[in-house]
Amino acid sequence: MQQDLQQKPVTVSGIISTVFGGIALLTSFIPIINNASAIFGFVGAILGIIAVMGTRANGKKSGRALAVVGLVISVVSVAIVLALQAQWAAMLS
């Protein structure tokens, strides 16, 4: 009965993935800084994958939705950075 009342801890890598993805998304539109945004996005995506794997149905941690949100935001921010880099390279040539 007591085990039912205890909540599972939230995965830390999911929280960090969401934070890194948010930072990467906010700074992905700034020309020079978006190179660092790509790095934040890649790190956020890796941590998001780790968090999703750690919050399986029989896992000891909760926060799967937070991990998925962090993963999606990170992947979207990397896609934005790559698209803008390609567009700016085409404009310069």
Side-chain angles (χ1 to χ4, degrees), residues 6-91:
Q6 293 178 347
Q7 293 182 348
K8 294 180 184 177
V10 178
T11 177
V12 175
S13 57
I15 295 169
I16 297 172
S17 170
T18 305
V19 170
F20 277 10
I23 291 171
L25 187 63
L26 289 175
T27 59
S28 63
F29 297 102
I30 303 171
I32 302 293
I33 297 175
N34 70 353
N35 295 326
S37 298
I39 294 170
F40 278 123
F42 282 125
V43 171
I46 291 169
L47 288 173
I49 292 170
I50 292 170
V52 168
M53 293 298 158
T55 58
R56 293 184 188 159
N58 58 355
K60 296 180 181 178
K61 303 244 179 175
S62 65
R64 186 173 181 89
L66 186 66
V68 170
V69 166
L71 178 62
V72 169
I73 290 174
S74 298
V75 169
V76 167
S77 66
V78 169
I80 289 172
V81 167
L82 293 177
L84 287 176
Q85 290 284 343
Q87 182 182 8
W88 292 331
M91 287 172 53

